[in-house]
């Protein structure tokens, strides 16, 4: 059973727990819905439906939340550049990272770092 803090309730489905665990341990990799479905041995559409039903989120939303959560730790605890943090957590585009960060947290990565200091 998964007790990941990005979810409000425990996740009971074996495949979804496996996807969550894999994502949390490999978030910096170029993860896609196709790759995850293949890893689990599931049809892509079925995986998407199952993930949303079990978690209330799309897989892409979850992946972004994991990456942003990890990047917040780096923003607080390192002096890495925003670009280096974006690349470290799995984004290959700093603008997309900043947009995803602001959508999830309500502030830009730079503002978040300044607030934390």
């Amino acid at each position: 059973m998964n007790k990941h803090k990005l979810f409000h309730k425990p996740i009971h489905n074996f495949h979804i727990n496996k996807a969550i665990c894999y994502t949390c341990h490999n978030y910096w990799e170029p993860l896609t819905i196709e790759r995850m479905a293949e890893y689990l041995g599931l049809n892509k559409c079925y995986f998407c439906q199952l993930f949303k039903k079990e978690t209330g989120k799309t897989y892409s939303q979850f992946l972004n939340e994991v990456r942003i959560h990890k990047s917040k730790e780096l923003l607080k605890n390192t002096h890495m550049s925003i670009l280096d943090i974006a690349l470290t957590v799995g984004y290959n585009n700093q603008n997309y990272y900043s947009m995803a960060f602001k959508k999830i947290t309500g502030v830009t990565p730079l503002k978040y770092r300044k607030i934390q200091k």
Side-chain angles (χ1 to χ4, degrees):
M1 204 161 38
N2 186 287
K3 295 180 182 166
H4 197 280
K5 59 182 152 185
L6 295 176
F7 299 109
H8 299 294
K9 63 179 184 158
I11 307 301
H12 298 285
N13 182 278
F14 169 79
H15 289 103
I16 300 308
N17 269 321
K18 191 172 176 183
I20 291 168
C21 188
Y22 186 87
T23 302
C24 289
H25 290 96
N26 300 283
Y27 59 88
W28 61 88
E29 292 182 9
L31 299 176
T32 63
I33 293 166
E34 293 82 5
R35 183 173 172 189
M36 188 55 59
E38 184 178 322
Y39 169 73
L40 298 170
L42 298 175
N43 171 283
K44 177 181 136 182
C45 291
Y46 178 68
F47 167 66
C48 289
Q49 290 171 347
L50 187 61
F51 197 91
K52 177 80 172 181
K53 179 182 169 214
E54 289 289 317
T55 67
K57 301 175 183 190
T58 66
Y59 179 71
S60 297
Q61 285 173 317
F62 170 67
L63 177 58
N64 276 324
E65 288 177 6
V66 170
R67 287 176 171 170
I68 297 306
H69 177 75
K70 298 294 183 180
S71 77
K72 285 164 69 176
E73 295 172 13
L74 295 172
L75 287 165
K76 282 192 278 190
N77 301 316
T78 73
H79 296 288
M80 292 170 68
S81 71
I82 303 300
L83 175 60
D84 286 342
I85 290 173
L87 296 172
T88 298
V89 300
Y91 292 98
N92 58 12
N93 180 308
Q94 181 179 340
N95 290 335
Y96 182 73
Y97 162 70
S98 294
M99 188 176 66
F101 192 96
K102 186 169 184 177
K103 183 177 181 182
I104 290 170
T105 66
V107 295
T108 64
L110 194 56
K111 188 166 186 175
Y112 180 84
R113 176 176 266 167
K114 286 179 183 175
I115 293 167
Q116 299 303 311
K117 300 285 179 187

